[in-house]
Amino acid sequence: KASDRSGIFSCKNKCEWDDVKIINIGILHFCNIHCYHCCSEIYKKPNIDCIQKVFERLLLFKGLLKIELDTSGEIFTIYTLLKNFLRRLDPSITKEVVLLTNGLLLDENKLYELKQISINTGVNYSFRVSVDGITKETYEKTRVGGTFEKILKNINLIKDNFPIQISFTIKKTNYSDAHNVKSFFN
């Protein structure tokens, strides 16, 4: 809906996109967990048609430095659709794709597959993993439905294959962890 309102698909004006180098786009409001602070709809299915239209539009760009898939949900809930999009990219469209994720739906097979797609297309991927807790208690209180052991395992799998950033949003449930996030992940 936001994409339609922004005129990406039905712009009546002559839109100039030549100077755009980084696109940060939220395409999904569907998630596999229910975080303390979030308003994503965990049980409502994503609008696949709208997401496919956004992906098709992104494929028309040339010379981007980066596409950031910065969702208000979990990008890997649409893994097959995402893979199909990533396979169609090439360096003339973008040099990098940044994937914002809670990291819980990833595993060795998916990361291997993503690594192969990246190698085959010549487009680099990096991950921004939203963690919001550095103890089991804090993490699972904030990321309801997530498991601390799984996220730590997946962070290690990601960092072995791709550049990774950790995202930590301070809120009531995790304030006690905030001062130690950097040292924990270092």
Side-chain angles (χ1 to χ4, degrees), residues 95-141:
K95 305 289 184 224
E96 180 182 3
V97 175
V98 179
L99 300 158
L100 178 66
T101 178
N102 63 38
L104 294 168
L105 295 177
L106 295 167
D107 58 35
E108 288 181 57
N109 293 333
K110 287 179 182 170
L111 288 165
Y112 176 80
E113 187 172 30
L114 290 169
K115 186 73 166 181
Q116 294 309 306
I117 295 169
S118 174
I119 290 167
N120 292 339
T121 62
V123 176
N124 297 315
Y125 307 150
S126 64
F127 286 74
R128 190 172 303 137
V129 182
S130 246
V131 179
D132 299 338
I134 59 170
T135 66
K136 180 175 178 62
E137 178 185 354
T138 305
Y139 175 82
E140 292 179 4
K141 188 185 298 182

Side-chain angles (χ1 to χ4, degrees), residues 4-37:
D4 288 335
R5 284 194 307 272
S6 70
I8 287 176
F9 304 119
S10 59
C11 183
K12 300 206 180 353
N13 300 316
K14 181 163 171 71
C15 298
E16 298 294 331
W17 293 94
D18 293 342
D19 293 332
V20 174
K21 295 298 175 200
I22 298 173
I23 292 179
N24 179 303
I25 189 163
I27 61 169
L28 186 64
H29 299 283
F30 176 76
C31 195
N32 57 311
I33 60 175
H34 182 72
C35 297
Y36 165 82
H37 62 283

